[in-house]
């Protein structure tokens, strides 16, 4: 039986393998941890309105059956609507990650189910699961075509309904969270400056006394 010596553990191959495993674990943790998305969004350096609006747009795009090009859509919307209004693109790009390899199937299936209240549909969850399997650009394009044409109006209508509701709900929540966080940071900054000022006064008084 071959054992791994300290030299083997410190070899470049072992280090590279460890780095790849850590990267893979972090990537999957990023997918399944909404806390990371939320923390990254609310700490962006921008106005609460811009961050909240960017998040709402990203959430809406994440609900649409446009897997694979959702980040491109967010950037395109930012360019198109720039003359009218602006939103935080980073917040939008982060919010898009709501739709990821872990959550895409449940989200799309729920959207399809909502759409069947407006248009009849006979697609099964297994059909949707098979449509979301792709490897390479050719398979991705076929998957996108299937989502658009084979699943049709139930998925499209359901995605629009769920996307609008989710976006409208996310805007005030994110705006409030950003406002609270920024206010908290301002209070901490003010208290810190006051403490530094008091220390300066005490130091000055002590030196003046010894004179």
């Amino acid at each position: 039986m071959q054992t791994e010596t300290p030299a083997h553990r410190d070899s470049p191959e072992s280090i590279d393998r460890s780095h790849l495993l850590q990267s893979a674990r972090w990537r999957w943790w990023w997918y399944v941890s909404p806390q990371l998305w939320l923390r990254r969004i609310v700490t962006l350096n921008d106005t609460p309105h811009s961050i909240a609006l960017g998040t709402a747009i990203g959430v809406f795009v994440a609900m649409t059956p446009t897997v694979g090009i959702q980040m491109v859509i967010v950037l395109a919307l930012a360019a198109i609507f720039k003359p009218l209004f602006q939103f935080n693109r980073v917040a939008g790009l982060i919010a898009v990650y709501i739709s990821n390899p872990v959550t895409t199937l449940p989200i799309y299936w729920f959207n399809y189910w909502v759409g069947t209240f407006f248009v009849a549909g006979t697609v099964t969850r297994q059909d949707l699961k098979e449509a979301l399997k792709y490897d390479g650009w050719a398979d991705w394009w076929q998957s996108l075509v299937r989502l658009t044409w084979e699943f049709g109006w139930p998925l499209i209508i359901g995605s629009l309904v769920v996307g609008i509701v989710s976006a409208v709900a996310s805007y005030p929540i994110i705006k409030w969270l950003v406002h609270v966080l920024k206010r908290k940071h301002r209070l901490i900054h003010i208290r810190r400056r006051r403490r530094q000022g008091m220390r300066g006064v005490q130091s000055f008084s002590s030196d003046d006394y010894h004179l």
Side-chain angles (χ1 to χ4, degrees):
M1 180 177 179
Q2 185 178 0
T3 59
E4 190 177 85
T5 64
H8 289 155
R9 286 196 298 268
D10 296 336
S11 64
E13 295 80 2
S14 178
I15 295 174
D16 291 342
R17 191 183 307 112
S18 176
H19 179 71
L20 289 174
L21 288 174
Q22 290 178 358
S23 299
R25 289 170 184 170
W26 172 255
R27 183 168 60 251
W28 281 102
W29 179 244
W30 170 259
Y31 288 149
V32 300
S33 179
Q35 294 90 343
L36 292 177
W37 314 335
L38 188 59
R39 187 182 300 115
R40 183 69 181 90
I41 288 173
V42 298
T43 55
L44 290 171
N45 186 21
D46 205 342
T47 64
H49 167 72
S50 179
I51 295 173
L53 184 59
T55 303
I57 291 175
V59 168
F60 174 79
V61 174
M63 295 297 112
T64 60
T66 53
V67 59
I69 56 173
Q70 293 173 341
M71 298 180 74
V72 176
I73 293 175
V74 170
L75 294 176
L77 291 175
I80 292 172
F81 291 113
K82 188 175 182 179
L84 302 176
F85 60 87
Q86 297 184 19
F87 60 88
N88 191 287
R89 290 175 293 180
V90 177
L93 294 175
I94 295 174
V96 160
Y97 275 93
I98 293 174
S99 176
N100 57 65
V102 178
T103 62
T104 299
L105 178 60
I107 288 175
Y108 285 4
W109 178 245
F110 177 76
N111 293 350
Y112 183 86
W113 175 75
V114 171
T116 56
F117 285 93
F118 303 91
V119 181
T122 58
V123 174
T124 65
R125 184 186 177 94
Q126 184 62 31
D127 294 333
L128 182 57
K129 183 177 181 180
E130 293 296 328
L132 291 173
K133 292 180 180 179
Y134 59 88
D135 184 18
W137 287 103
D139 291 343
W140 166 79
W141 177 250
Q142 292 179 0
S143 175
L144 195 62
V145 170
R146 287 191 66 187
L147 290 175
T148 306
W149 295 103
E150 182 176 334
F151 298 90
W153 287 112
L155 180 58
I156 294 174
I157 294 176
S159 297
L160 291 175
V161 171
V162 175
I164 292 173
V165 172
S166 301
V168 171
S170 66
Y171 177 85
I173 295 174
I174 297 299
K175 186 176 181 180
W176 177 76
L177 287 174
V178 174
H179 178 74
V180 169
L181 184 65
K182 289 184 178 295
R183 182 180 179 183
K184 181 179 179 180
H185 284 176
R186 283 198 300 269
L187 291 175
I188 292 174
H189 181 67
I190 291 173
R191 291 173 182 172
R192 187 176 299 165
R193 291 189 61 182
R194 286 178 178 175
R195 291 175 183 173
Q196 291 175 351
M198 292 177 63
R199 290 174 183 173
V201 171
Q202 292 175 356
S203 176
F204 175 78
S205 300
S206 177
D207 293 341
D208 183 64
Y209 175 78
H210 285 294
L211 288 173

